[in-house]
Amino acid sequence: MEGLKQLLSNNVRKFGMIIALIGIALLFQILTDGILLTPLNVTNIIMQNSYIIVLAIGMMLIIITGEIDLSVGSVAAFVGAVAGVLMVTMDFPVFAGILICLAIGAIIGAWQGFWVAYVNIPSFIVTLAGMLIFRGLTLVVLQGQTIAPFPDGFRGLSSAFVPDVFGGEGEIQLFTVVVGIVLSVVYILSELKIRRTDLKYDFKTISFPLFIVKLVVFTIVINLFTYVLAQYEGIPYVLIVLFVLIIGYTFVMNKTVIGRHIYAVGGNANAAQLSGIKTKKMKFWVFVNMGVLAALCGMIFAGRLNAATPQAGNLFELDAIAAAVIGGASFTGGVGTVFGAVIGALVMGVLNNGMSLMGIGIDWQQAIKGLVLLAAVAFDVLNKNK
């Protein structure tokens, strides 16, 4: 019991958001007469919010360093427009077009990171200027028109599914079920290895019964999730992209020197600099990273829409910031996790989807999302004061 209390007290924000996500999902499941958690709609929630999750991961790193990026929506729209020109108008190969777009995103991130990190202009001003610049350039590139349709190979990134290699012809996609089982085994072995290492070096760990409960709960969640996906079309390719990003960035932030330096810069930049961390370099590369992820977001959105439009990316930056803050980021810097950003994005996504299924207008949707964001920040402030 003492271990459970300690676990909850040390992770109050993380568990609070997970409980909030479960509560919101169950509420809308009841209010929509069971439509929200149907296999088709769960797949739609993933695909509709994939680009926001990508942005939220990058935005979390930006906010951890104590900065902000208001330009990500415009950058996503600009890169989507460039992708349209390259692959539709100029008939570029899909793979080459994707690499060029990611490179453009990195250059844009480097441009903004230079002004923030090395010229010391506040990131709010730099990225506000970037928002205006790249929204204008989007209109220039598209000449105010929509470019469509994209090649099938490009659209597959955000709208296609992994085929069933076992040739299942029934209602369940066997490959997805097998993936769930494999992920469960990998997760259990990974957790056992981590616990063994912690015990070897006398690190503080939760009690063994609580550890077993944790393994059982997460294993059930993994297999239940893949089973729901298996009842529709299986695993979307974009979910694989998200999985790689989440695992990769979680590893970088928790297990590498770079991750520790990013947290140190956000926690106390002066102390970090005195301890030998190149704070300017870290902020610069965080913005480069944000540029690449904004470019990826723009391509995922364009592929799902199957068109490059001047209106793309509208208010994406606010959704990304809201997802990061709801997921536990603090504007003072030094606080936040990649997992939290994903949970925050899913909270926003389930809210949007559930309210749309209920027929609630966009006006009330915006108001409710604003209240949720305010409540999340208030919870964070009150928890810190306590």
Side-chain angles (χ1 to χ4, degrees):
M1 192 67 181
E2 189 64 33
L4 179 61
K5 286 182 179 178
Q6 183 183 349
L7 184 67
L8 290 173
S9 62
N10 291 344
N11 299 275
V12 63
R13 185 64 190 271
K14 182 194 295 186
F15 287 120
M17 287 304 104
I18 293 174
I19 292 168
L21 175 61
I22 294 170
I24 291 169
L26 291 176
L27 175 63
F28 281 116
Q29 176 73 352
I30 295 168
L31 294 176
T32 59
D33 296 324
I35 297 175
L36 184 83
L37 297 179
T38 57
L40 170 61
N41 198 57
V42 169
T43 304
N44 282 338
I45 289 172
I46 294 168
M47 298 176 79
Q48 287 169 359
N49 295 281
S50 54
Y51 42 89
I52 297 301
I53 294 174
V54 171
L55 280 185
I57 292 171
M59 189 64 72
M60 179 64 83
L61 269 63
I62 292 279
I63 294 176
I64 286 173
T65 60
E67 305 294 346
I68 197 72
D69 191 341
L70 302 177
S71 69
V72 291
S74 297
V75 173
F78 174 68
V79 172
V82 172
V85 171
L86 289 176
M87 294 180 223
V88 179
T89 306
M90 301 175 67
D91 204 25
F92 259 64
V94 171
F95 186 70
I98 290 173
L99 288 180
I100 291 171
C101 288
L102 291 176
I104 290 172
I107 292 168
I108 292 171
W111 160 261
Q112 299 194 129
F114 167 77
W115 292 107
V116 174
Y118 295 106
V119 187
N120 292 323
I121 299 177
S123 57
F124 182 91
I125 301 301
V126 172
T127 57
L128 180 61
M131 179 174 71
L132 300 173
I133 291 168
F134 296 109
R135 181 60 63 182
L137 289 178
T138 301
L139 297 174
V140 170
V141 170
L142 294 176
Q143 297 179 345
Q145 299 177 337
T146 297
I147 297 178
F150 279 99
D152 290 341
F154 181 76
R155 286 191 293 114
L157 174 68
S158 51
S159 57
F161 296 83
V162 178
D164 191 346
V165 295
F166 299 116
E169 297 179 359
E171 295 181 356
I172 302 295
Q173 212 219 33
L174 295 178
F175 175 73
T176 305
V177 175
V178 172
V179 168
I181 295 170
V182 171
L183 287 176
S184 300
V185 173
V186 171
Y187 168 73
I188 291 170
L189 292 176
S190 173
E191 286 293 317
L192 287 170
K193 182 181 177 182
I194 291 170
R195 182 175 176 83
R196 198 179 303 120
T197 304
D198 288 347
L199 290 173
K200 180 181 177 181
Y201 293 104
D202 292 326
F203 291 157
K204 194 174 290 185
T205 58
I206 58 175
S207 64
F208 187 72
L210 199 58
F211 176 72
I212 294 298
V213 170
K214 175 186 171 185
L215 290 184
V216 171
V217 169
F218 275 92
T219 301
I220 291 172
V221 169
I222 291 170
N223 285 278
L224 189 61
F225 176 65
T226 51
Y227 179 72
V228 169
L229 292 180
Q231 292 180 70
Y232 181 55
E233 294 282 349
I235 300 172
Y237 281 112
V238 72
L239 182 59
I240 297 176
V241 174
L242 294 177
F243 180 78
V244 171
L245 288 176
I246 293 166
I247 296 298
Y249 278 91
T250 299
F251 176 79
V252 168
M253 294 303 290
N254 294 343
K255 302 293 184 180
T256 68
V257 174
I258 293 173
R260 294 190 185 95
H261 284 186
I262 290 172
Y263 278 113
V265 169
N268 190 321
N270 291 332
Q273 192 167 12
L274 290 172
S275 64
I277 296 173
K278 297 178 180 178
T279 56
K280 292 183 177 181
K281 184 179 179 181
M282 295 310 303
K283 286 191 177 185
F284 174 80
W285 283 109
V286 165
F287 273 94
V288 172
N289 173 74
M290 185 73 258
V292 173
L293 291 181
L296 178 60
C297 162
M299 288 188 286
I300 291 173
F301 184 76
R304 178 163 175 75
L305 202 61
N306 196 21
T309 67
Q311 294 80 27
N314 189 32
L315 297 182
F316 278 16
E317 57 279 341
L318 298 185
D319 283 337
I321 293 168
V325 172
I326 289 172
S330 172
F331 282 119
T332 56
V335 178
T337 62
V338 172
F339 179 76
V342 174
I343 294 297
L346 288 176
V347 167
M348 299 294 288
V350 171
L351 271 174
N352 286 333
N353 187 269
M355 288 188 290
S356 296
L357 289 174
M358 290 178 63
I360 297 175
I362 191 68
D363 45 2
W364 279 107
Q365 287 191 32
Q366 296 290 347
I368 292 169
K369 283 159 62 178
L371 289 172
V372 170
L373 177 59
L374 181 61
V377 176
F379 177 82
D380 184 45
V381 171
L382 292 173
N383 182 55
K384 284 180 179 175
N385 290 341
K386 192 182 293 183

